[in-house]
Amino acid sequence: MEKKVCKEHVEIALDIIVDETGEYPLLEELSTSGQVTCEFCDADATYVVSSKK
């Protein structure tokens, strides 16, 4: 599971991953910034928040 989010929505994505997986999430900066939009708004996604792989 992963969420691509802007800076404003990082905390929400972190909470969702923890609630759904029960594990500490991974936070990575997107290298394709500007090409992907946030899952919660129309801003450019800056981070990928994901469960451990």
Side-chain angles (χ1 to χ4, degrees):
M1 161 183 279
E2 71 177 28
K3 302 270 184 203
K4 294 180 175 103
V5 296
C6 65
K7 292 178 183 180
E8 183 177 331
H9 292 108
V10 168
E11 289 184 38
I12 294 171
L14 290 168
D15 289 342
I16 289 171
I17 298 292
V18 169
D19 288 345
E20 292 186 8
T21 66
E23 296 179 353
Y24 189 79
L26 300 173
L27 177 64
E28 299 176 53
E29 195 166 347
L30 264 177
S31 59
T32 58
S33 185
Q35 298 176 4
V36 179
T37 56
C38 176
E39 293 187 26
F40 300 104
C41 67
D42 291 329
D44 291 341
T46 309
Y47 298 102
V48 175
V49 180
S50 61
S51 57
K52 294 180 180 180
K53 296 178 183 177

